[in-house]
């Protein structure tokens, strides 16, 4: 961990990190996937690898607020089907981080996000939309859940960028707005907490990073409140369009940065 960088950020850099933390809260309670912008801001201000460890506790704070807000809307059968594949993806992501440099990580994740957005748009135009998320019980649904699960676990481990991947899965599975938010809230709270030992073991989380997190986490709360206010005013079609757009923007940022 580059502690000199952490303790010598300028006022403008801290303001950028605070805005990114606020956006985390907003994304967790309104437009999932929008926090890829936060990922880009953290990686621009701080060393890219170190930024993933600093961002993780802030994401967990946002996850807690999202669970408190949408806990009644989670679809647990979907979650139980996803977790084994996600665990495999997290292990693969940990191995990848041992040898991959920042440029390889950014390029890989950006390409995956754009691919997922393209696949989702194509499926929604050519296939009949599923009426209920219970469709994941079919054989095709199980294969899709495992594929997205591994990708989600991999991307969330290497760059905290699992949100867009799982957003694409939940949209393709036919989730409505509140079910989408409730299911993703529990999913990311459990997955992000499970990543803490891996990140600490890689040296991405330490006492200095947690002190910076303590200064930034307060900005997550107003973002979550703003998101809860906004989501009640966004219709389903616009919600889905915003999720896909946030995924594309995040992927392009990672590829072009």
């Amino acid at each position: 961990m580059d502690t000199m960088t952490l303790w010598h950020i300028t006022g403008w850099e801290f303001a950028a990190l605070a805005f990114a933390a606020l956006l985390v809260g907003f994304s967790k309670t309104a437009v999932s996937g929008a926090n890829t912008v936060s990922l880009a801001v953290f990686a621009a201000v701080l060393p890219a690898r170190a930024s993933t460890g600093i961002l993780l506790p802030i994401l967990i704070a946002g996850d807690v607020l999202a669970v408190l807000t949408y806990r009644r809307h989670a679809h647990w059968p979907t979650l139980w089907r996803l977790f084994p594949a996600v665990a495999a993806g997290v292990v693969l992501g940990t191995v990848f981080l041992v040898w991959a440099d920042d440029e390889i990580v950014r390029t890989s994740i950006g390409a995956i996000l754009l691919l997922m957005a393209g696949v989702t748009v194509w499926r929604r135009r050519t296939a009949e939309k599923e009426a209920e998320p219970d469709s994941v019980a079919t054989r095709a649904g199980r294969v899709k859940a495992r594929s997205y699960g591994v990708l989600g676990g991999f991307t969330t481990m290497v760059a905290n960028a699992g949100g867009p991947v799982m957003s694409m899965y939940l949209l393709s599975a036919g989730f409505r707005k509140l079910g989408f938010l409730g299911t993703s809230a529990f999913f990311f709270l459990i997955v992000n907490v499970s990543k803490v030992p891996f990140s600490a073991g890689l040296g991405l989380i330490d006492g200095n990073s947690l002190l910076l997190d303590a200064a930034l986490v307060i900005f997550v709360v107003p973002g979550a409140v703003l998101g809860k206010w906004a989501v009640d005013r966004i219709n389903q079609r616009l919600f889905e369009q915003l999720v896909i757009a946030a995924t594309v923007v995040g992927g392009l940022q990672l590829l072009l940065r």
Side-chain angles (χ1 to χ4, degrees):
M1 182 71 68
D2 189 350
T3 54
M4 293 296 291
T5 298
L6 296 180
W7 296 116
H8 288 78
I9 60 176
T10 67
W12 284 110
E13 288 172 335
F14 183 83
L17 295 176
F19 171 75
L22 185 145
L23 191 57
V24 166
F26 178 82
S27 71
K28 293 295 185 179
T29 57
V31 182
S32 181
N35 61 7
T36 52
V37 178
S38 301
L39 186 158
V41 171
F42 269 70
V45 173
L46 304 167
R49 280 173 59 89
S51 71
T52 63
I54 297 168
L55 184 56
L56 181 56
I58 294 172
L59 292 173
I60 291 172
D63 294 328
V64 171
L65 294 174
V67 164
L68 292 175
T69 304
Y70 300 116
R71 60 189 178 278
R72 294 190 300 272
H73 303 286
H75 190 259
W76 282 98
T78 294
L79 291 171
W80 290 123
R81 289 187 181 96
L82 284 170
F83 284 141
V86 172
V90 168
V91 172
L92 288 174
T94 302
V95 173
F96 183 73
L97 279 174
V98 170
W99 65 269
D101 61 22
D102 289 340
E103 184 176 355
I104 292 175
V105 170
R106 287 195 299 268
T107 302
S108 300
I109 301 304
I112 289 171
L113 297 186
L114 292 178
L115 175 62
M116 292 299 99
V119 169
T120 298
V121 171
W122 176 77
R123 283 180 58 86
R124 293 177 68 78
R125 289 184 176 180
T126 60
E128 189 174 315
K129 185 177 179 180
E130 301 287 353
E132 297 292 338
D134 284 334
S135 61
V136 297
T138 65
R139 183 176 184 276
R142 288 193 297 271
V143 171
K144 182 170 68 174
R146 289 166 185 161
S147 300
Y148 276 88
V150 171
L151 280 175
F154 179 84
T155 54
T156 196
M157 187 63 223
V158 301
N160 289 316
V165 174
M166 297 317 300
S167 294
M168 296 299 96
Y169 170 69
L170 294 176
L171 286 183
S172 69
F175 278 83
R176 306 296 292 174
K177 186 168 56 176
L178 291 180
F180 177 108
L181 290 168
T183 303
S184 62
F186 274 99
F187 175 85
F188 281 108
L189 176 60
I190 295 169
V191 170
N192 283 332
V193 169
S194 72
K195 285 161 50 183
V196 171
F198 293 94
S199 295
L202 290 168
L204 302 177
I205 295 177
D206 62 11
N208 290 324
S209 71
L210 291 174
L211 285 175
L212 181 57
D213 286 324
L216 293 171
V217 73
I218 59 174
F219 297 98
V220 177
V221 177
V225 173
L226 178 62
K228 181 61 173 69
W229 174 86
V231 78
D232 292 332
R233 291 161 176 78
I234 301 175
N235 63 36
Q236 180 69 24
R237 182 184 178 93
L238 177 59
F239 174 80
E240 295 176 1
Q241 291 172 341
L242 288 173
V243 170
I244 294 173
T247 302
V248 172
V249 170
L252 289 174
Q253 285 178 330
L254 291 168
L255 283 175
L256 301 177
R257 189 161 45 120

